[in-house]
Every structure is written in structure tokens, then in C-alpha cells.
Amino acid sequence: MGCGPSIPKKYTIGGKGRKRKSIIQEVAVFVPTVRIPVASDIVHPLRGIVSKDLVDRLSTLRAHVVELAEEIYYADVSAVSELQHALEEYLPVVLGLTMKESRLESSVQFRWRTLEDDQECCLASAWYEVLSVVHMMAMLALFEANLTLIPKNCQVGGERKVSEDAKKDVVDSLLRASGCLDYSVHRILVQIPAQVKKNFPSYLQEGMLEAISIQALAQCVEIQLGLASECEKATLSVKRRLACEQVSYFSQAHYCLSGCDTSDSYGKKLLFFLKWKCMEAKAVAYYYHGLVLDKGGEPANHISAVCCLSAADDLLSDSKRACLSFCLANPVTRVPPPWGVMKNMHKKIPDVAYKKFQVYGHLFEQNKNSALQSIPDLPEFALSLRPEGYELPSTDSIWENVNGQPQIQSLKEHLNDDEDEVDTK
């Protein structure tokens, strides 16, 4: 069984009849999609093959994740942490299904759906389940980072007041998300047969996972640059380096999507986000590059500086339009207030560009045919951030001595199983 639309549940969550509020979210850290597990039949496929205790534990832990995940739409940071913990408890147990000696990798059909539009994907693959769990851990880390940067007591469209310690926590969450996704690409996807992967939804494509992993690193640098812009000790060179690194990361993330199917709403929204943030990052990078060049004493330095500042002004205008395109793309999101380094750039860049041209405009008249009037390339720097190291946990000890062969049940155990089945109906 592959992926396809499930029964529409737009106005309920988990069949509980609870109406989902129509909330237009605000974005600081972009979360492409949150997928949650759907109740799946674990008992029947494994009955008689592994112990009843193992089946009960596996189904109980997954049911707990399902229950918590149903409420994630309304979650705060503490609820996200609780769900992360539940996933971490479940993962070592479900990993047992992937063991070659268990011969159970394709025994259970695992169901997941997207939170926004209830698109469901059901596949008989334990590695698909492991990938989905690790992917959800990454999305929750991004979700938690976004919640931290947009406090609930923050007025809509108002200034975000976030402490420096909270911003450092956000960086930790972003690095963790990047690490989970990087591991998924290089260590989990390779375990999954091609015939299973061809049924994957678009947001589990290799390029998509790579893009989001690098996007998380880019947003780490975005936070760091914001902190540097508020620090008096941070030099122009440091700020320029961070801004240029940010451009490199966002450009890499955008490039990763070049071979992906981005025709659905998730792909389009991610493309719009990366285009917006890349333009914004370039505007800041050219601004700081212009200020550094302007420190030189030669006319050529001043001409190049003015060219950079003019490019920054143009890119800033383009980034505002790109931001609007991102916000209007489905699912619609609020236009965010400028924050971090951009909080002051919307005024600084046009003001400084205008003033510098007023001072050095005569140099352009004197060098009309000069190649100096072209926009200089941004300097390239070695990238300083890497995804946080992630490893799958060890398989739970409950799987010891499981060989995937049918187990002989006593009559009493068989009758108890039948009673349990009747109770669940």
C-alpha cells in the first residue's frame, strides 16, 4: 500500500470531533511539514512470531506517541519535549523490526499523515517507520525553535523579545534537527529498497531532506548574525563573514531542491522560503561587504562600496516581495516583523546606500567607462557549522533471542489473545 489521500478530517483531530481552529501561523524558523503517526495494526502481524510482552510494549509505546502527536497542533514547548521523549522511548523498540535475524522488516504496515492536510502514507517497512520517527524528531526540533522565537505573549506583528539564552537554545535545536536529517539521508535512506522509496511522499525525498538539514544550519547562522549585530565588540569583518556564510548555506539548500519534485504545496512553500531568505541574506552580506570596502583609502574602494550598497538596497526590495510570495503560498502564513539582524537593516541599508552615493557620486562621473562600476563578488569563507552528530540508539534488549520463527503458544495464551481481540473490537 502506498501514499494517497485519507478520508478528509480537516475539522477533527484524531477522530475526537475537536474542531481545529483556523490559525494563520507566524514563521521565524520554517517547518516544512509535520507528519504524525496514525494508529496501525501491530498486534496481528506479529502475533505468534514474537512474545506477547514485546508486541504489547511496541503497540503501547506507539499508541502513546499517536496520542501525544494528535495534540501537537496546540502544543507549547513543554508538550513538544514530552513528545520528543516518547519518540526516543519508542525508537529502540521499533528498531528491532529492522534486524535481519528477526526477518520482520516488512511485516507491519505503518501509517503516517501530514498534520496540515491529512495526506496519508502507509507502507509495510520498518525502516520507513524509523525514518518517519527520526524525521518527526527533526521537525519537532524546528517546531520548538519557532515556538521559542515567537513567544505566545508576543503581539501579532509586534517585536519579538527573546533573551540571548533562548536564542542559544534555538541554535541547539536547529543543529539537532540538522543532525537528524543528515543522518536520515546518509544512514537510513540507504537501508530502504528502491521499490519502497518510490512510494515515498515528496517531503521524504533525499534532496528535500538535505535541503531542510542545510536550511537549519542557515538559520543557525541567522541567529548568530543577529547576536553579532547587537554586540559592540563584533567587528564588521565578523559580521560580513557570518552574512556570507548565511548566503552560502541558503544557496546550498536551494540547490538541493533542483532535482526534487516541488510541485506540491510543501515543495513550493519551501522554495519560496529559501528564495526569500537567500535574497535577504545577500542584501545583508553586500551591506557589510560595502562597509568593509569603504574602509579602503582608494577611489576604487569607494566605488566598489557604493556598488555593493546599491546592490544591497535592490536585494532588500526584492526580498520584501519574495517574503510576501512566501506568506501567500499555501499554507498561508503571517508576514513576520523584521527580527534579528533584519530588525535594523530595513532602515540602515537604504539610508547608508543613499548617503554613500551622495558622498562618492562624483567618482562615478570620473570613471564612467571603468569596470570598477560592476558589483564585486562576495568573498567566500569556509563554512563553520556542521550538523550535530546523531546516531540511532541501540536496539532494545527485549529483542534478544528473537529469530522471527513462529512461536508455539499454549492453549491458555491463545485463548487470552482471542479475548484481547474481542475486547478491542
Side-chain angles (χ1 to χ4, degrees), residues 54-84:
L54 197 160
V55 174
D56 288 346
R57 187 168 179 197
L58 189 61
S59 57
T60 299
L61 288 173
R62 194 178 194 276
H64 183 50
V65 172
V66 170
E67 181 183 11
L68 292 176
E70 296 287 4
E71 304 298 325
I72 194 63
Y73 194 80
Y74 305 94
D76 56 15
V77 172
S78 62
V80 173
S81 298
E82 185 181 3
L83 179 52
Q84 284 274 23

Side-chain angles (χ1 to χ4, degrees), residues 389-401:
Y390 176 79
E391 293 288 337
L392 286 174
S394 300
T395 303
D396 194 282
S397 59
I398 197 171
W399 283 94
E400 291 178 3
N401 302 319

Side-chain angles (χ1 to χ4, degrees), residues 232-334:
E232 294 181 0
K233 294 182 180 179
T235 64
L236 279 177
S237 295
V238 168
K239 295 172 187 175
R240 179 181 65 172
R241 179 186 179 114
L242 287 170
C244 290
E245 283 192 44
Q246 190 183 356
V247 172
S248 295
Y249 281 121
F250 277 124
S251 298
Q252 283 184 22
H254 192 275
Y255 177 76
C256 287
L257 294 179
S258 58
C260 294
D261 177 9
T262 55
S263 58
D264 61 10
S265 58
Y266 301 104
K268 288 177 182 176
K269 190 79 172 178
L270 180 56
L271 273 173
F272 278 126
F273 179 77
L274 294 175
K275 182 179 179 181
W276 162 39
K277 300 305 288 187
C278 198
M279 284 183 177
E280 199 174 71
K282 281 184 178 179
V284 177
Y286 271 115
Y287 171 76
Y288 283 125
H289 189 40
L291 295 185
V292 171
L293 291 174
D294 195 45
K295 295 286 185 182
E298 298 297 323
N301 299 126
H302 301 311
I303 291 174
S304 295
V306 172
C307 289
C308 285
L309 293 167
S310 177
D313 196 20
D314 291 340
L315 285 162
L316 182 64
S317 298
D318 291 341
S319 75
K320 291 176 183 178
R321 289 189 288 271
C323 174
L324 188 58
S325 296
F326 163 73
C327 293
L328 292 175
N330 285 324
V332 174
T333 46
R334 295 186 186 277

Side-chain angles (χ1 to χ4, degrees), residues 29 149 163-164 166-172 174-175 216-232 234-235 238-246 249-250 284 288 339-342 382-386:
V29 171
L149 288 174
S163 69
E164 184 173 328
K167 290 176 182 177
K168 290 178 180 177
D169 290 340
V170 168
V171 170
D172 291 340
L174 291 169
L175 290 174
L217 296 180
Q219 297 212 258
C220 282
V221 180
E222 185 178 16
I223 300 289
Q224 292 175 334
L225 181 56
L227 291 171
S229 68
E230 298 168 359
C231 177
E232 294 181 0
T235 64
V238 168
K239 295 172 187 175
R240 179 181 65 172
R241 179 186 179 114
L242 287 170
C244 290
E245 283 192 44
Q246 190 183 356
Y249 281 121
F250 277 124
V284 177
Y288 283 125
W339 64 282
V341 70
M342 296 308 299
L383 300 180
S384 57
L385 291 180
R386 294 288 181 272

Side-chain angles (χ1 to χ4, degrees), residues 13-177:
I13 291 185
K16 297 180 182 178
R18 180 178 179 182
K19 288 190 177 181
R20 183 180 293 175
K21 296 178 182 177
S22 179
I23 301 173
I24 299 178
Q25 302 287 352
E26 187 176 315
V27 172
V29 171
F30 182 54
V31 186
T33 180
V34 176
R35 303 170 67 242
I36 64 173
V38 180
S40 304
D41 183 8
I42 293 175
V43 176
H44 282 82
L46 298 179
R47 176 180 291 168
I49 299 176
V50 298
S51 70
K52 186 175 185 299
D53 287 344
L54 197 160
V55 174
D56 288 346
R57 187 168 179 197
L58 189 61
S59 57
T60 299
L61 288 173
R62 194 178 194 276
H64 183 50
V65 172
V66 170
E67 181 183 11
L68 292 176
E70 296 287 4
E71 304 298 325
I72 194 63
Y73 194 80
Y74 305 94
D76 56 15
V77 172
S78 62
V80 173
S81 298
E82 185 181 3
L83 179 52
Q84 284 274 23
H85 180 67
L87 289 167
E88 289 167 1
E89 279 192 311
Y90 171 60
L91 190 52
V93 182
V94 77
L95 268 172
L97 291 173
T98 67
M99 297 189 305
K100 289 182 179 179
E101 56 268 31
S102 77
R103 288 175 279 190
L104 297 170
E105 201 280 329
S106 59
S107 58
V108 179
Q109 289 194 333
F110 292 102
R111 299 169 59 205
W112 287 74
R113 68 178 176 87
T114 53
L115 194 60
E116 285 290 339
D117 58 10
D118 294 322
Q119 292 291 312
E120 188 173 299
C121 186
C122 178
L123 293 171
S125 168
W127 277 115
Y128 164 68
E129 177 77 348
V130 171
L131 174 64
S132 297
V133 169
V134 177
H135 179 268
M136 187 179 191
M137 291 167 66
M139 294 303 106
L140 288 177
L142 297 178
F143 190 72
E144 183 178 11
N146 192 59
L147 286 174
T148 304
L149 288 174
I150 307 177
K152 288 194 173 182
N153 58 0
C154 180
Q155 292 183 348
V156 174
E159 183 179 347
R160 299 170 183 160
K161 295 181 180 179
V162 183
S163 69
E164 184 173 328
D165 287 341
K167 290 176 182 177
K168 290 178 180 177
D169 290 340
V170 168
V171 170
D172 291 340
S173 295
L174 291 169
L175 290 174
R176 188 167 68 251

